[in-house]
């Protein structure tokens, strides 16, 4: 009980700081990409410059018994809600070895500043810096494997414990062809802010990647998509001499999929042009900070949350409005909201929110073991 009281005190203290740390700012704007695609009334992804609170270390925060108690609480909440949409963030992937921005060892605490959308588009040097650093970080980033939390969510999805199904709409698609030749229904279980594809690797099917996917690149001139691994191989081949000069320098993986290098000289980095048009430059098919989430994704997420009776937030502070907006919409509609996270979130002060301060992976495993059919208990225990 003393520990639970300390957790409550921790939540109370950080709750008073939430509005300072995560000010509610909204910037909905028309954004015309260089490739000609347009995102209308989309939600803006911005990063906070406010002082950060370093959350506790999730690895030694709770005992096994305390984790089980929190899992029991979350499982009971999920029993009371049958149509649940899950919103996940970087805190879910840290157990897979991918750094986050604001967690206990988050890169923001070390002074890291991610590349901004306009910086990438407007500066040859910024693109050279990004792609130069990516040569050291990409292989580590893309080869990370899903952890127990990803697999637990996939199991919950497979057994219908999370997810909603809604009628398909033209507004959910970038092209009319995708709509007319697609399914008449849309199913959505997980809205993820992560670009690491780990939900898919874990077996989840009904996932929308709010901020895009890092495993492909898109040309800013002709709009063509290409495989990121193939592009990285071309990049490596063009810059083998530069790469070998940097190999002995200290480097570390960053949340963007690049790495922190000692050098500041990227002027000799050669960037391959778009393989299709041979004139345009490419960027990862992700929403950089300062860019806008495409309207199609916003529409689908909004309608899925509207169709749900509850939202479960996992591993995110909701610091960016593109995800926070959907939690606000759920709260305004009177839907259930539960948050599984270590550290403050922008939704902590909302009335009726169930806040569970516990590590995502082991807690979700314990929840899945309670909610999946008895015949799957062994599978959950052995594979999770």
């Amino acid at each position: 009980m003393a520990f639970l009281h300390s957790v409550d005190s921790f939540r109370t203290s950080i709750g008073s700081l939430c509005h300072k740390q995560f000010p509610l700012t909204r910037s909905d704007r028309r954004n015309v990409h260089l490739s000609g695609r347009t995102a209308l009334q989309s939600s803006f992804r911005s990063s906070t410059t406010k002082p950060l609170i370093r959350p506790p270390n999730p690895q030694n925060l709770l005992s096994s018994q305390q984790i089980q108690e929190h899992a029991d609480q979350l499982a009971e909440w999920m029993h009371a809600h049958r149509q649940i949409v899950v919103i996940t963030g970087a805190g879910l992937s840290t157990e897979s070895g991918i750094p986050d921005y604001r967690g206990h060892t988050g890169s923001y605490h070390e002074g890291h500043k991610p590349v901004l959308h306009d910086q990438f588009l407007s500066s040859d040097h910024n693109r050279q810096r990004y792609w130069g650093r990516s040569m050291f970080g990409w292989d580590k980033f893309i080869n990370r494997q899903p952890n127990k939390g990803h697999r637990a969510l996939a199991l919950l999805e497979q057994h219908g414990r999370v997810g909603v199904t809604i009628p398909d709409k033209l507004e959910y698609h970038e092209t009319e062809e995708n709509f007319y030749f697609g399914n008449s229904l849309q199913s959505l279980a997980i809205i993820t802010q992560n670009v690491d594809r780990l939900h898919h690797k874990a077996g989840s099917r009904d996932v929308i990647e709010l901020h895009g996917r890092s495993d492909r690149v898109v040309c800013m001139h002709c709009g063509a998509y290409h495989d990121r691994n193939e592009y990285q191989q071309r990049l490596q081949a063009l810059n083998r001499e530069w790469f070998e000069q940097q190999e002995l320098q200290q480097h570390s993986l960053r949340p963007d999929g690049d790495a922190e290098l000692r050098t500041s000289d990227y002027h000799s980095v050669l960037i391959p042009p778009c393989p299709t048009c041979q004139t345009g430059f490419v960027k990862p098919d992700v929403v950089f900070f300062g860019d806008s989430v495409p309207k199609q994704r916003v529409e689908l997420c909004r309608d899925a949350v509207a169709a749900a009776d509850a939202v479960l937030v996992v591993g995110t502070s909701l610091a960016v409005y593109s995800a926070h907006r959907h939690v606000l919409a759920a709260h305004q509609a009177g839907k259930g909201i539960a948050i599984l996270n270590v550290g403050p979130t922008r939704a902590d002060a909302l009335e009726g929110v169930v806040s569970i301060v516990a590590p995502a992976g082991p807690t979700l495993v314990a929840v899945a073991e309670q909610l999946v059919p008895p015949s799957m208990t062994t599978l959950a225990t052995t594979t999770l």
Side-chain angles (χ1 to χ4, degrees), residues 278-309:
Q278 293 295 321
T279 57
F281 64 85
V282 304
K283 69 178 286 290
D285 188 24
V286 301
V287 178
F288 283 168
F289 285 99
D291 194 7
S292 297
V293 177
K295 182 184 178 182
Q296 295 86 358
R297 294 178 205 163
V298 177
E299 288 275 347
L300 177 55
C301 293
R302 180 170 58 207
D303 289 352
V305 169
D309 61 7

mmCIF file of all heavy atoms in Angstrom, residues 278-309:
data_model
loop_
_atom_site.group_PDB
_atom_site.id
_atom_site.type_symbol
_atom_site.label_atom_id
_atom_site.label_comp_id
_atom_site.label_asym_id
_atom_site.label_seq_id
_atom_site.Cartn_x
_atom_site.Cartn_y
_atom_site.Cartn_z
ATOM 1 N N GLN A 278 14.812 10.108 -61.411
ATOM 2 C CA GLN A 278 16.241 10.403 -61.499
ATOM 3 C C GLN A 278 16.587 11.881 -61.283
ATOM 4 O O GLN A 278 17.715 12.299 -61.513
ATOM 5 C CB GLN A 278 16.806 9.949 -62.850
ATOM 6 C CG GLN A 278 16.806 8.450 -63.058
ATOM 7 C CD GLN A 278 17.737 7.735 -62.081
ATOM 8 O OE1 GLN A 278 18.820 8.209 -61.759
ATOM 9 N NE2 GLN A 278 17.291 6.575 -61.606
ATOM 10 N N THR A 279 15.608 12.665 -60.855
ATOM 11 C CA THR A 279 15.869 14.091 -60.615
ATOM 12 C C THR A 279 15.480 14.528 -59.208
ATOM 13 O O THR A 279 16.125 15.411 -58.639
ATOM 14 C CB THR A 279 15.113 14.969 -61.623
ATOM 15 O OG1 THR A 279 13.709 14.677 -61.552
ATOM 16 C CG2 THR A 279 15.607 14.711 -63.048
ATOM 17 N N GLY A 280 14.424 13.944 -58.659
ATOM 18 C CA GLY A 280 13.947 14.358 -57.345
ATOM 19 C C GLY A 280 14.740 13.721 -56.215
ATOM 20 O O GLY A 280 15.477 12.754 -56.411
ATOM 21 N N PHE A 281 14.619 14.291 -55.024
ATOM 22 C CA PHE A 281 15.222 13.688 -53.842
ATOM 23 C C PHE A 281 14.130 12.975 -53.042
ATOM 24 O O PHE A 281 12.957 13.336 -53.113
ATOM 25 C CB PHE A 281 15.966 14.716 -52.988
ATOM 26 C CG PHE A 281 15.098 15.777 -52.380
ATOM 27 C CD1 PHE A 281 14.429 15.570 -51.175
ATOM 28 C CD2 PHE A 281 14.956 17.011 -53.007
ATOM 29 C CE1 PHE A 281 13.636 16.559 -50.605
ATOM 30 C CE2 PHE A 281 14.159 18.015 -52.445
ATOM 31 C CZ PHE A 281 13.499 17.782 -51.245
ATOM 32 N N VAL A 282 14.526 11.974 -52.287
ATOM 33 C CA VAL A 282 13.565 11.194 -51.518
ATOM 34 C C VAL A 282 13.702 11.516 -50.039
ATOM 35 O O VAL A 282 14.724 12.019 -49.579
ATOM 36 C CB VAL A 282 13.747 9.680 -51.746
ATOM 37 C CG1 VAL A 282 13.659 9.333 -53.230
ATOM 38 C CG2 VAL A 282 15.050 9.177 -51.136
ATOM 39 N N LYS A 283 12.651 11.208 -49.294
ATOM 40 C CA LYS A 283 12.684 11.265 -47.841
ATOM 41 C C LYS A 283 11.999 10.010 -47.319
ATOM 42 O O LYS A 283 11.213 9.381 -48.045
ATOM 43 C CB LYS A 283 11.973 12.526 -47.302
ATOM 44 C CG LYS A 283 10.464 12.549 -47.497
ATOM 45 C CD LYS A 283 9.832 13.801 -46.892
ATOM 46 C CE LYS A 283 9.765 13.765 -45.393
ATOM 47 N NZ LYS A 283 8.779 12.768 -44.885
ATOM 48 N N PRO A 284 12.304 9.596 -46.104
ATOM 49 C CA PRO A 284 11.565 8.468 -45.532
ATOM 50 C C PRO A 284 10.069 8.781 -45.537
ATOM 51 O O PRO A 284 9.657 9.931 -45.356
ATOM 52 C CB PRO A 284 12.115 8.385 -44.105
ATOM 53 C CG PRO A 284 13.465 9.014 -44.179
ATOM 54 C CD PRO A 284 13.341 10.114 -45.189
ATOM 55 N N ASP A 285 9.264 7.780 -45.767
ATOM 56 C CA ASP A 285 7.818 7.985 -45.839
ATOM 57 C C ASP A 285 7.230 8.079 -44.434
ATOM 58 O O ASP A 285 6.363 7.308 -44.024
ATOM 59 C CB ASP A 285 7.165 6.845 -46.613
ATOM 60 C CG ASP A 285 5.688 7.108 -46.886
ATOM 61 O OD1 ASP A 285 5.294 8.293 -46.909
ATOM 62 O OD2 ASP A 285 4.938 6.127 -47.048
ATOM 63 N N VAL A 286 7.731 9.042 -43.695
ATOM 64 C CA VAL A 286 7.283 9.288 -42.324
ATOM 65 C C VAL A 286 6.945 10.765 -42.172
ATOM 66 O O VAL A 286 7.395 11.609 -42.946
ATOM 67 C CB VAL A 286 8.359 8.890 -41.288
ATOM 68 C CG1 VAL A 286 8.714 7.426 -41.422
ATOM 69 C CG2 VAL A 286 9.603 9.743 -41.424
ATOM 70 N N VAL A 287 6.138 11.047 -41.167
ATOM 71 C CA VAL A 287 5.773 12.424 -40.856
ATOM 72 C C VAL A 287 6.827 12.987 -39.912
ATOM 73 O O VAL A 287 6.841 12.671 -38.717
ATOM 74 C CB VAL A 287 4.371 12.491 -40.214
ATOM 75 C CG1 VAL A 287 4.013 13.934 -39.850
ATOM 76 C CG2 VAL A 287 3.322 11.902 -41.152
ATOM 77 N N PHE A 288 7.731 13.781 -40.456
ATOM 78 C CA PHE A 288 8.717 14.436 -39.605
ATOM 79 C C PHE A 288 8.025 15.477 -38.723
ATOM 80 O O PHE A 288 6.924 15.944 -39.027
ATOM 81 C CB PHE A 288 9.781 15.139 -40.453
ATOM 82 C CG PHE A 288 10.809 14.229 -41.058
ATOM 83 C CD1 PHE A 288 11.668 14.695 -42.047
ATOM 84 C CD2 PHE A 288 10.952 12.924 -40.641
ATOM 85 C CE1 PHE A 288 12.630 13.876 -42.604
ATOM 86 C CE2 PHE A 288 11.911 12.085 -41.185
ATOM 87 C CZ PHE A 288 12.746 12.566 -42.174
ATOM 88 N N PHE A 289 8.691 15.853 -37.643
ATOM 89 C CA PHE A 289 8.173 16.937 -36.809
ATOM 90 C C PHE A 289 8.030 18.201 -37.669
ATOM 91 O O PHE A 289 8.912 18.536 -38.445
ATOM 92 C CB PHE A 289 9.099 17.205 -35.626
ATOM 93 C CG PHE A 289 9.000 16.162 -34.549
ATOM 94 C CD1 PHE A 289 9.935 15.138 -34.461
ATOM 95 C CD2 PHE A 289 7.962 16.176 -33.628
ATOM 96 C CE1 PHE A 289 9.856 14.170 -33.482
ATOM 97 C CE2 PHE A 289 7.862 15.215 -32.637
ATOM 98 C CZ PHE A 289 8.808 14.208 -32.572
ATOM 99 N N GLY A 290 6.892 18.861 -37.512
ATOM 100 C CA GLY A 290 6.609 20.043 -38.308
ATOM 101 C C GLY A 290 5.801 19.750 -39.548
ATOM 102 O O GLY A 290 5.341 20.674 -40.225
ATOM 103 N N ASP A 291 5.601 18.471 -39.869
ATOM 104 C CA ASP A 291 4.784 18.079 -41.017
ATOM 105 C C ASP A 291 3.369 17.761 -40.533
ATOM 106 O O ASP A 291 3.095 17.768 -39.334
ATOM 107 C CB ASP A 291 5.414 16.860 -41.703
ATOM 108 C CG ASP A 291 4.825 16.590 -43.085
ATOM 109 O OD1 ASP A 291 4.037 17.424 -43.562
ATOM 110 O OD2 ASP A 291 5.160 15.539 -43.665
ATOM 111 N N SER A 292 2.477 17.470 -41.468
ATOM 112 C CA SER A 292 1.093 17.185 -41.138
ATOM 113 C C SER A 292 0.744 15.743 -41.476
ATOM 114 O O SER A 292 1.190 15.195 -42.484
ATOM 115 C CB SER A 292 0.152 18.119 -41.916
ATOM 116 O OG SER A 292 0.355 19.459 -41.547
ATOM 117 N N VAL A 293 -0.048 15.128 -40.620
ATOM 118 C CA VAL A 293 -0.557 13.789 -40.884
ATOM 119 C C VAL A 293 -1.578 13.880 -42.012
ATOM 120 O O VAL A 293 -2.469 14.728 -41.981
ATOM 121 C CB VAL A 293 -1.207 13.200 -39.622
ATOM 122 C CG1 VAL A 293 -1.809 11.826 -39.919
ATOM 123 C CG2 VAL A 293 -0.193 13.112 -38.487
ATOM 124 N N PRO A 294 -1.482 13.021 -43.035
ATOM 125 C CA PRO A 294 -2.450 13.068 -44.130
ATOM 126 C C PRO A 294 -3.887 12.948 -43.645
ATOM 127 O O PRO A 294 -4.179 12.201 -42.701
ATOM 128 C CB PRO A 294 -2.055 11.866 -44.999
ATOM 129 C CG PRO A 294 -0.597 11.691 -44.726
ATOM 130 C CD PRO A 294 -0.408 12.038 -43.278
ATOM 131 N N LYS A 295 -4.762 13.687 -44.301
ATOM 132 C CA LYS A 295 -6.152 13.748 -43.876
ATOM 133 C C LYS A 295 -6.803 12.370 -43.863
ATOM 134 O O LYS A 295 -7.657 12.089 -43.018
ATOM 135 C CB LYS A 295 -6.933 14.680 -44.802
ATOM 136 C CG LYS A 295 -8.393 14.851 -44.394
ATOM 137 C CD LYS A 295 -9.162 15.702 -45.392
ATOM 138 C CE LYS A 295 -10.624 15.816 -44.982
ATOM 139 N NZ LYS A 295 -11.415 16.588 -45.953
ATOM 140 N N GLN A 296 -6.414 11.499 -44.810
ATOM 141 C CA GLN A 296 -7.033 10.180 -44.880
ATOM 142 C C GLN A 296 -6.832 9.398 -43.575
ATOM 143 O O GLN A 296 -7.757 8.732 -43.091
ATOM 144 C CB GLN A 296 -6.444 9.381 -46.049
ATOM 145 C CG GLN A 296 -6.743 9.964 -47.415
ATOM 146 C CD GLN A 296 -5.733 11.032 -47.823
ATOM 147 O OE1 GLN A 296 -4.815 11.369 -47.056
ATOM 148 N NE2 GLN A 296 -5.884 11.572 -49.020
ATOM 149 N N ARG A 297 -5.637 9.495 -43.011
ATOM 150 C CA ARG A 297 -5.370 8.799 -41.746
ATOM 151 C C ARG A 297 -6.156 9.425 -40.607
ATOM 152 O O ARG A 297 -6.678 8.728 -39.735
ATOM 153 C CB ARG A 297 -3.872 8.841 -41.434
ATOM 154 C CG ARG A 297 -3.006 8.081 -42.407
ATOM 155 C CD ARG A 297 -1.532 8.209 -42.049
ATOM 156 N NE ARG A 297 -0.695 8.025 -43.222
ATOM 157 C CZ ARG A 297 0.566 8.380 -43.304
ATOM 158 N NH1 ARG A 297 1.157 8.973 -42.265
ATOM 159 N NH2 ARG A 297 1.253 8.176 -44.419
ATOM 160 N N VAL A 298 -6.198 10.758 -40.598
ATOM 161 C CA VAL A 298 -6.932 11.451 -39.548
ATOM 162 C C VAL A 298 -8.404 11.043 -39.573
ATOM 163 O O VAL A 298 -9.016 10.761 -38.535
ATOM 164 C CB VAL A 298 -6.792 12.981 -39.694
ATOM 165 C CG1 VAL A 298 -7.620 13.705 -38.638
ATOM 166 C CG2 VAL A 298 -5.328 13.401 -39.589
ATOM 167 N N GLU A 299 -9.000 11.001 -40.769
ATOM 168 C CA GLU A 299 -10.416 10.635 -40.915
ATOM 169 C C GLU A 299 -10.673 9.229 -40.382
ATOM 170 O O GLU A 299 -11.635 9.000 -39.641
ATOM 171 C CB GLU A 299 -10.815 10.715 -42.390
ATOM 172 C CG GLU A 299 -10.914 12.123 -42.945
ATOM 173 C CD GLU A 299 -12.273 12.760 -42.679
ATOM 174 O OE1 GLU A 299 -13.207 12.036 -42.289
ATOM 175 O OE2 GLU A 299 -12.384 13.984 -42.857
ATOM 176 N N LEU A 300 -9.836 8.268 -40.790
ATOM 177 C CA LEU A 300 -10.045 6.888 -40.375
ATOM 178 C C LEU A 300 -9.896 6.741 -38.865
ATOM 179 O O LEU A 300 -10.712 6.083 -38.212
ATOM 180 C CB LEU A 300 -9.058 5.966 -41.096
ATOM 181 C CG LEU A 300 -9.103 4.483 -40.726
ATOM 182 C CD1 LEU A 300 -10.507 3.915 -40.897
ATOM 183 C CD2 LEU A 300 -8.090 3.690 -41.542
ATOM 184 N N CYS A 301 -8.885 7.362 -38.293
ATOM 185 C CA CYS A 301 -8.687 7.288 -36.843
ATOM 186 C C CYS A 301 -9.848 7.930 -36.101
ATOM 187 O O CYS A 301 -10.338 7.382 -35.097
ATOM 188 C CB CYS A 301 -7.375 7.964 -36.454
ATOM 189 S SG CYS A 301 -5.898 7.130 -37.054
ATOM 190 N N ARG A 302 -10.292 9.064 -36.578
ATOM 191 C CA ARG A 302 -11.394 9.761 -35.922
ATOM 192 C C ARG A 302 -12.663 8.915 -35.927
ATOM 193 O O ARG A 302 -13.351 8.791 -34.907
ATOM 194 C CB ARG A 302 -11.645 11.101 -36.610
ATOM 195 C CG ARG A 302 -12.792 11.912 -35.984
ATOM 196 C CD ARG A 302 -12.819 13.318 -36.546
ATOM 197 N NE ARG A 302 -12.966 13.316 -37.994
ATOM 198 C CZ ARG A 302 -12.514 14.283 -38.786
ATOM 199 N NH1 ARG A 302 -11.849 15.313 -38.265
ATOM 200 N NH2 ARG A 302 -12.699 14.237 -40.073
ATOM 201 N N ASP A 303 -12.982 8.301 -37.071
ATOM 202 C CA ASP A 303 -14.201 7.505 -37.160
ATOM 203 C C ASP A 303 -14.084 6.214 -36.361
ATOM 204 O O ASP A 303 -15.079 5.730 -35.795
ATOM 205 C CB ASP A 303 -14.526 7.195 -38.621
ATOM 206 C CG ASP A 303 -14.992 8.424 -39.387
ATOM 207 O OD1 ASP A 303 -15.207 9.479 -38.745
ATOM 208 O OD2 ASP A 303 -15.141 8.345 -40.618
ATOM 209 N N ALA A 304 -12.891 5.633 -36.308
ATOM 210 C CA ALA A 304 -12.700 4.422 -35.513
ATOM 211 C C ALA A 304 -12.883 4.714 -34.028
ATOM 212 O O ALA A 304 -13.519 3.948 -33.301
ATOM 213 C CB ALA A 304 -11.318 3.831 -35.777
ATOM 214 N N VAL A 305 -12.318 5.824 -33.564
ATOM 215 C CA VAL A 305 -12.488 6.208 -32.160
ATOM 216 C C VAL A 305 -13.960 6.506 -31.873
ATOM 217 O O VAL A 305 -14.489 6.144 -30.815
ATOM 218 C CB VAL A 305 -11.599 7.419 -31.824
ATOM 219 C CG1 VAL A 305 -11.959 8.005 -30.460
ATOM 220 C CG2 VAL A 305 -10.127 7.019 -31.856
ATOM 221 N N ALA A 306 -14.643 7.126 -32.817
ATOM 222 C CA ALA A 306 -16.068 7.413 -32.635
ATOM 223 C C ALA A 306 -16.887 6.133 -32.523
ATOM 224 O O ALA A 306 -17.896 6.083 -31.805
ATOM 225 C CB ALA A 306 -16.583 8.266 -33.789
ATOM 226 N N ALA A 307 -16.470 5.082 -33.240
ATOM 227 C CA ALA A 307 -17.197 3.813 -33.206
ATOM 228 C C ALA A 307 -16.857 2.975 -31.976
ATOM 229 O O ALA A 307 -17.612 2.066 -31.618
ATOM 230 C CB ALA A 307 -16.898 3.013 -34.470
ATOM 231 N N ALA A 308 -15.744 3.259 -31.339
ATOM 232 C CA ALA A 308 -15.327 2.508 -30.162
ATOM 233 C C ALA A 308 -16.085 2.970 -28.927
ATOM 234 O O ALA A 308 -16.677 4.053 -28.910
ATOM 235 C CB ALA A 308 -13.824 2.672 -29.946
ATOM 236 N N ASP A 309 -16.056 2.138 -27.898
ATOM 237 C CA ASP A 309 -16.601 2.596 -26.617
ATOM 238 C C ASP A 309 -15.491 2.901 -25.616
ATOM 239 O O ASP A 309 -15.773 3.341 -24.499
ATOM 240 C CB ASP A 309 -17.602 1.603 -26.032
ATOM 241 C CG ASP A 309 -17.009 0.236 -25.734
ATOM 242 O OD1 ASP A 309 -15.789 0.069 -25.854
ATOM 243 O OD2 ASP A 309 -17.786 -0.673 -25.384
#
